[in-house]
């Protein structure tokens, strides 16, 4: 009986470690970020704008202002935030500029970092922040 | 504790559904699905384009983007038919490799030539219903089509048309019933039509109707494992393929076919690949074919037929035809092979009722090592006389060229016949029908064989060897066993029953001879052939005794029975004729004789010794001999 319970709980934990994004984040060319809850999110393109609606929340952004969008605010502890899940990460810095990791072939090594905020530099030169909780 | 587990399980299910997040990008009736976990950064380029997982979208073609809790299965394309429309869902990871064209419920998928081992095999899951829909797959890499509760009728061609020349697995999902019907028009070669090879898998049910040509057609091989396939009707063959047909398990039921049940051809006439064998192999499962078309075969292979395990129930009722191209008659057969037929096991129940219809017909060897085979033919002789085909010709067929007639037979083999084991039961009742005919050497080494035939029970054009087995052969109107060359009997139990003189139980054509070197042998009929050469070393007795149907014949001394032979209940012949001494023109070793209507040989007999033959309530005596006293025609 205990084994059964343990197996179920282990499976639950396993599933819980998958996607759990709270919002869709829009990265603007200006560097500004805007977001809207991802639950039941509906989006369409209308008159040159990306129009998003989630429940009572509404968002309209000119397409010409958009750099990218991504699922964000993942609540789980794993570091597989879309920002850093790419294998194209070349370096990881702490917020005080200290090089923490380099030549990363497997993003899972990011799990070894202490809790905190970090900045990754990708192989294309772009950077992004992420948190290890 | 149980409540706790239930709580955890319910929580688990609800949690799982909550955590699956998918971005659905809809473009027309095609929805591209991206898992939130894998979507990553979705960059915009200018005011017109954005991309997800390296797949570019033009904003003008995107009608909506929705986030829901559907689960995205990588390498999966889902097609859901809904009467006059269909919805297509493409997993985001393969979006760059899939092009979809959609007209009503007619779906055409172009799978990119860039799909390779790195991308992996793509599965197309089809479900829903349409009375005017189809699925066409173009591509050059192996793929799977999953039938998951699909009812699809095409009004213009094949409901499932696979243009890929590679392997396509048809996965028929367990617990689902899938029904496909093609149009009566179009260029399709089958209701399911494939330019490559097909592998049917999983335990669901697939119903197929071919209104234009075959039920299922593949340009290359077909394999079946687990699936239940019903070919409910076809203008031509139920299943038609090249290279080979192999069934491992499952059920295949074919009826209403306008030509053969299953036909396997060579793909290439020359320079054949190793797998291009034209063969049919059954290693498990059940095949049931009911064929009524004239000159049709329930199972036909241009190569060999191998039956290792499993069950075949086949019946043909169609009559023979005159083939104006080949200038010969052509008749039905339950199993027909241009190569050999090898039976290593399984169960075969074969019935053929049309004129000239046969149980098994092969151009190569016929070999039985094991298995249970039951064959019944009831058709008469098919003959082409005076420009007309006659399904039950009763005239004198001796004057007809062999191309102009087709006799019904249990087994007809142009090559050698070898029976090493198993159970073989043959019953033929139509005029001119033989039990087993070999146009070459016939050898029996073992097995239980029971043949009751209208014409010869067993006939061989060349030497006949009987080395073992338990054999009962009865001919109502001709010889029990008849060889056009020598007969060597060295073992086993052989009971041969023939018709009245000049027919007999054991018949060897002059100048050939029969040799007894072992075995328990009984021949009963008009005038049996007896050994005439000194190489025959086992003594025998001849008698004019007339055992009756259902009785027992024993051979032995007055006080000891060496062996008992049962006379079949349907034996009707009377062993009439004249004693050789009254017909000196026939001489020793030949003659129409009542005194050789019964011949018995068992290992205990010694030449020159008098033995007792008991039959029913009667008995008689005869002196054993090593040669002479028989007939030879």
């Amino acid at each position: 009986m205990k084994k059964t319970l343990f197996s179920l709980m282990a499976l639950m934990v396993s599933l819980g470690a998958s996607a759990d994004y709270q919002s869709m984040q829009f990265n603007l060319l200006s560097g500004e970020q805007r977001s809207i809850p991802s639950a039941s999110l509906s989006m369409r393109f209308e008159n040159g704008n990306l129009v998003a609606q989630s429940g009572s929340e509404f968002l309209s952004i000119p397409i010409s202002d958009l750099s990218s969008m991504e699922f964000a605010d993942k609540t789980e502890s794993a570091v597989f935030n879309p920002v850093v899940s790419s294998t194209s990460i070349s370096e990881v810095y702490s917020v005080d500029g200290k090089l923490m990791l380099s030549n990363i072939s497997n993003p899972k090594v990011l799990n070894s970092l202490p809790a905190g905020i970090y900045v990754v530099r990708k192989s294309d030169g772009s950077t992004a922040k992420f948190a290890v909780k | 504790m149980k409540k706790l587990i239930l709580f955890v399980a319910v929580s688990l299910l609800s949690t799982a559904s909550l955590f699956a997040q998918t971005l659905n990008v809809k473009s027309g009736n095609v929805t591209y699905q991206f898992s939130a976990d894998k979507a990553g950064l979705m960059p915009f380029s200018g005011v017109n384009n954005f991309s997800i997982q390296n797949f570019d979208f033009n904003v003008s073609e995107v009608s909506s983007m929705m986030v829901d809790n559907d689960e995205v299965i990588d390498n999966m394309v889902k097609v859901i038919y809904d009467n006059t429309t269909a919805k297509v869902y493409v997993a985001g990871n393969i979006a760059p490799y899939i092009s979809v064209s959609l007209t009503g419920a007619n779906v055409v998928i172009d799978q990119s030539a860039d799909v390779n081992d790195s991308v992996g095999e793509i599965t197309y899951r089809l479900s829903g219903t349409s009375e005017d829909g189809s699925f066409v797959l173009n591509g050059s890499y192996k793929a799977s089509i999953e039938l998951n509760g699909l009812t699809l009728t095409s009004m213009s061609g094949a409901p499932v048309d696979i243009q890929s020349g590679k392997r396509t697995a048809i996965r028929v999902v367990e617990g689902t019933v899938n029904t496909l019907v093609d149009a009566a028009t179009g260029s399709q070669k089958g209701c399911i039509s494939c330019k490559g090879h097909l592998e049917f898998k999983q335990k669901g049910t697939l119903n197929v109707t071919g209104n234009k040509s075959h039920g299922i057609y593949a340009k290359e091989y077909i394999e079946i494992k687990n699936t239940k396939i019903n070919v409910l009707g076809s203008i031509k063959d139920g299943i038609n393929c090249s290279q080979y047909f192999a069934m491992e398990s499952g059920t295949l039921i074919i009826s209403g076919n306008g030509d053969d049940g299953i036909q396997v051809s060579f793909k290439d006439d020359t320079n054949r690949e190793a797998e291009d064998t034209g063969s049919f192999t059954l290693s498990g499962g059940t095949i049931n074919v009911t064929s009524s078309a004239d000159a049709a075969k329930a199972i036909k292979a241009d190569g060999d037929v191998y039956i290792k395990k499993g069950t075949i129930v086949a019946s043909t009722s169609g009559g023979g035809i005159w083939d104006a191209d080949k200038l010969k008659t052509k008749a039905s057969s339950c199993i027909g092979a241009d190569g050999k037929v090898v039976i290593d096991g399984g169960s075969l129940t074969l019935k053929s009722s049309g004129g000239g219809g046969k149980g098994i017909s092969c151009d190569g060897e016929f070999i039985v090592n094991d298995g249970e085979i039951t064959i019944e033919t009831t058709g008469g002789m098919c003959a082409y006389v005076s420009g007309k085909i006659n399904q039950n010709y009763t005239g004198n067929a001796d004057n007809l060229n062999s191309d102009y007639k087709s006799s019904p037979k249990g087994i007809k083999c142009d090559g050698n016949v070898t029976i090493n084991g198993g159970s073989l039961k043959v019953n033929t009742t139509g005029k001119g029908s033989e039990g087993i005919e070999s146009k070459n050497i016939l050898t029996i080494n073992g097995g239980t064989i029971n043949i009751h035939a209208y014409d010869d029970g067993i006939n061989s054009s060349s030497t006949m060897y009987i080395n073992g087995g338990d054999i009962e052969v009865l001919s109502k109107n001709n010889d029990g066993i008849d060889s056009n060359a020598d007969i060597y009997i060295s073992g086993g139990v052989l009971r041969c029953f023939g018709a009245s003189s000049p027919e007999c139980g054991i018949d060897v054509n002059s100048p050939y001879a029969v040799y007894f070197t072992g075995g328990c042998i009984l021949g009963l009929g008009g005038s049996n052939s007896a050994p005439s050469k000194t190489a025959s070393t086992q003594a025998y007795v001849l008698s004019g005794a007339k055992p009756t149907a259902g009785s027992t014949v024993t051979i032995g001394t007055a006080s000891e029975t060496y062996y008992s032979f049962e006379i079949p209940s349907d034996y009707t012949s009377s062993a009439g004729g004249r004693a050789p001494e009254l017909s000196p023109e026939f001489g020793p070793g030949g003659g129409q004789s009542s005194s050789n209507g019964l011949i018995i040989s068992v290992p205990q007999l010694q030449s020159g010794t008098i033995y007792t033959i008991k039959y029913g309530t009667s008995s008689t005596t005869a002196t054993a001999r090593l040669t002479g006293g028989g007939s030879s025609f």
Side-chain angles (χ1 to χ4, degrees):
Chain A
M1 187 66 81
K2 286 182 179 177
K3 284 184 178 177
T4 305
L5 183 60
F6 179 78
S7 299
L8 283 170
M9 294 182 74
L11 181 57
M12 187 174 177
V13 169
S14 170
L15 286 172
S18 62
D20 185 18
Y21 299 97
Q22 301 300 304
S23 65
M24 179 68 77
Q25 177 177 294
F26 299 96
N27 305 311
L28 307 187
L29 293 171
S30 63
E32 180 188 358
Q33 293 179 336
R34 301 176 68 180
S35 63
I36 189 169
S38 59
S40 302
L41 174 63
S42 169
M43 298 183 286
R44 65 185 187 278
F45 296 103
E46 190 176 281
N47 300 325
N49 297 312
L50 185 151
V51 179
Q53 184 170 7
S54 175
S56 59
E57 294 196 37
F58 182 84
L59 193 64
S60 179
I61 305 171
I63 302 171
S64 57
D65 291 347
L66 281 168
S67 171
S68 62
M69 60 182 178
E70 59 189 300
F71 284 94
D73 301 330
K74 197 172 183 181
T75 57
E76 67 184 28
S77 60
V79 296
F80 289 102
N81 184 293
V83 175
V84 297
S85 61
S86 168
T87 56
S88 62
I89 299 169
S90 58
E91 295 167 332
V92 177
Y93 296 89
S94 61
V95 288
D96 59 0
K98 181 181 178 183
L99 179 63
M100 302 296 289
L101 295 168
S102 62
N103 299 322
I104 298 168
S105 59
N106 184 349
K108 288 185 177 179
V109 301
L110 303 181
N111 282 317
S112 63
L113 292 169
I117 304 297
Y118 296 90
V119 177
V120 297
R121 181 186 299 279
K122 296 187 178 181
S123 55
D124 62 1
S126 63
T127 59
K129 289 181 182 177
F130 76 99
V132 175
K133 298 178 181 177
Chain B
M1 183 61 83
K2 286 182 179 176
K3 286 183 178 178
L4 178 58
I5 291 176
L6 183 64
F7 170 76
V8 170
V10 170
S11 301
L12 183 64
L13 290 172
S14 58
T15 304
S17 62
L18 281 175
F19 285 162
Q21 283 181 297
T22 297
L23 174 60
N24 299 275
V25 181
K26 188 175 181 184
S27 177
N29 279 329
V30 181
T31 300
Y32 298 89
Q33 297 186 299
F34 301 91
S35 165
D37 268 342
K38 297 177 180 175
L41 202 63
M42 298 172 269
F44 281 78
S45 175
V47 296
N48 293 320
N49 301 294
F50 67 103
S51 66
I52 309 175
Q53 287 187 254
N54 298 317
F55 184 64
D56 295 329
F57 289 98
N58 187 303
V59 297
S60 65
E61 296 172 351
V62 175
S63 55
S64 69
M65 295 187 288
M66 309 279 288
V67 176
D68 60 21
N69 300 121
D70 278 356
E71 184 183 4
V72 181
I73 302 173
D74 280 351
N75 286 44
M76 170 78 76
V77 175
K78 293 181 283 190
V79 181
I80 302 173
Y81 291 90
D82 184 10
N83 294 318
T84 57
T85 62
K87 294 176 180 174
V88 181
Y89 298 85
V90 179
N93 76 305
I94 53 167
Y97 306 101
I98 299 296
S99 175
V100 181
S101 300
L102 191 57
T103 305
N106 294 287
V107 179
V108 179
I109 301 282
D110 290 318
Q111 180 178 288
S112 167
D114 293 334
V115 175
N116 53 26
D117 291 346
S118 177
V119 175
E121 183 176 345
I122 295 173
T123 296
Y124 300 88
R125 176 184 289 173
L126 313 184
S127 62
T129 299
S130 175
E131 293 296 319
D132 183 10
S134 61
F135 177 81
V136 179
L137 175 62
N138 297 307
S140 55
Y141 187 78
K142 63 185 178 182
S144 289
I145 294 177
E146 186 179 288
L147 302 181
N148 193 13
L150 176 69
T151 300
L152 195 57
T153 297
S154 173
M155 301 299 287
S156 57
V160 175
D161 181 1
I162 303 154
Q163 293 290 316
S164 166
K166 300 299 182 184
R167 188 273 285 149
T168 300
I170 305 287
R171 301 181 182 278
V172 187
V173 177
E174 184 173 6
T176 68
V177 176
N178 304 272
T179 301
L180 304 176
V181 180
D182 72 348
T185 57
S187 59
Q188 73 277 13
K189 291 186 176 180
C191 178
I192 294 178
S193 188
C194 177
K195 287 192 173 178
H197 30 281
L198 287 174
E199 295 179 2
F200 290 90
K201 299 179 178 181
Q202 300 189 8
K203 295 183 177 179
T205 299
L206 172 61
N207 301 317
V208 170
T209 301
N211 289 315
K212 176 62 167 60
S213 184
H214 310 302
I216 299 173
Y217 166 80
K219 191 175 181 180
E220 296 176 338
Y221 71 74
I222 288 179
E223 294 181 357
I224 298 175
K225 182 179 179 182
N226 289 326
T227 310
K228 180 178 183 181
I229 300 175
N230 301 310
V231 179
L232 303 174
S234 57
I235 297 300
K236 294 183 179 177
D237 304 329
I239 290 182
N240 182 292
C241 65
S242 298
Q243 292 187 330
Y244 66 85
F245 173 95
M247 182 165 167
E248 181 180 318
S249 57
T251 303
L252 173 60
I253 301 174
I254 298 174
S255 60
N257 43 301
D259 200 343
D260 299 330
I262 302 169
Q263 178 170 343
V264 190
S265 306
F266 290 111
K267 182 183 176 188
D268 297 306
D269 291 334
T270 57
N271 299 322
R272 290 178 185 141
E273 296 176 350
E275 61 189 359
D276 191 7
T277 59
S279 64
F280 169 97
T281 301
L282 178 69
S283 55
T286 298
I287 295 177
N288 189 321
V289 181
T290 304
S291 183
S292 60
D294 287 342
K297 276 72 177 173
I299 296 168
K300 168 73 171 70
D302 281 1
D304 302 332
V305 169
Y306 300 96
I307 298 163
K308 300 175 179 177
K309 286 174 67 178
T311 301
I312 294 177
V313 178
S315 67
T316 62
S317 57
I321 61 171
W322 173 249
D323 187 329
D325 294 330
K326 296 180 179 177
L327 297 178
K328 61 193 301 186
T329 55
K330 183 180 172 185
S332 297
S333 177
C334 291
I335 295 176
D338 290 351
K340 62 187 175 184
V341 173
V342 180
I343 300 172
D344 292 328
S347 170
L348 287 78
T349 303
L350 312 176
K351 294 183 179 180
S352 185
S353 59
K358 299 169 182 63
I360 296 173
S361 175
C362 60
D363 293 348
E365 288 184 272
F366 177 72
I367 301 169
V368 180
N369 294 315
D370 203 351
E372 295 187 11
I373 306 163
T374 302
I375 300 173
E376 179 181 357
T377 72
T378 56
M381 177 179 290
C382 169
Y384 185 70
V385 181
S386 302
K388 291 183 179 179
I389 197 79
N390 191 321
Q391 301 294 351
N392 190 18
Y393 186 68
T394 56
N396 184 358
D398 292 341
N399 298 324
L400 288 176
N401 182 296
S402 60
D403 286 341
Y404 284 71
K405 59 185 177 182
S406 182
S407 299
K409 299 177 196 299
I411 297 166
K412 183 253 181 184
C413 175
D414 288 351
N416 296 338
V417 169
T418 304
I419 301 172
N420 297 315
S423 169
L424 175 59
K425 186 174 184 179
V426 179
N427 186 27
T428 68
T429 58
K431 178 177 169 60
S433 58
E434 295 179 325
I436 300 176
E437 180 192 44
S438 168
K439 293 292 187 184
N440 215 305
I441 296 170
L442 185 144
T443 304
I444 299 174
N445 296 317
T448 301
I449 299 167
N450 185 299
I451 297 171
H452 288 210
Y454 180 100
D455 206 279
D456 288 344
I458 299 176
N459 180 290
S460 67
S461 298
S462 186
T463 308
M464 187 182 295
Y465 298 93
I466 297 176
N467 304 317
D470 185 337
I471 306 159
E472 177 180 296
V473 187
L474 183 150
S475 170
K476 295 286 181 67
N477 298 280
N478 211 320
D479 304 319
I481 64 172
D482 179 8
S483 172
N484 296 332
D486 295 326
I487 296 178
Y488 294 89
I489 303 172
S490 64
V493 177
L494 176 63
R495 302 179 296 280
C496 305
F497 306 93
S500 312
S501 181
E503 319 307 348
C504 54
I506 300 171
D507 184 22
V508 174
N509 285 2
S510 179
Y512 300 100
V514 58
Y515 298 82
F516 294 164
T517 58
C520 298
I521 306 158
L522 176 142
L524 181 59
S527 48
N528 288 293
S529 297
S532 57
K533 304 286 178 67
T534 56
S536 184
T537 57
Q538 179 169 293
Y540 59 91
V541 294
L542 292 169
S543 172
K546 297 178 180 178
T548 56
S551 66
T552 300
V553 176
T554 65
I555 181 71
T557 65
S559 58
E560 182 184 3
T561 297
Y562 293 153
Y563 203 86
S564 297
F565 297 92
E566 302 295 327
I567 308 299
S569 59
D570 59 342
Y571 173 69
T572 57
S573 179
S574 59
R578 295 167 293 177
E581 56 271 29
L582 300 178
S583 305
E585 68 273 22
F586 291 104
Q592 295 172 300
S593 170
S594 63
S595 68
N596 63 8
L598 175 64
I599 184 170
I600 300 174
S601 177
V602 296
Q604 295 92 332
L605 300 188
Q606 299 294 320
S607 178
T609 301
I610 298 173
Y611 294 97
T612 299
I613 302 170
K614 296 179 181 177
Y615 54 105
T617 58
S618 303
S619 69
T620 186
T621 59
T623 303
R625 57 204 297 178
L626 286 172
T627 59
S631 302
S632 182
F633 297 101

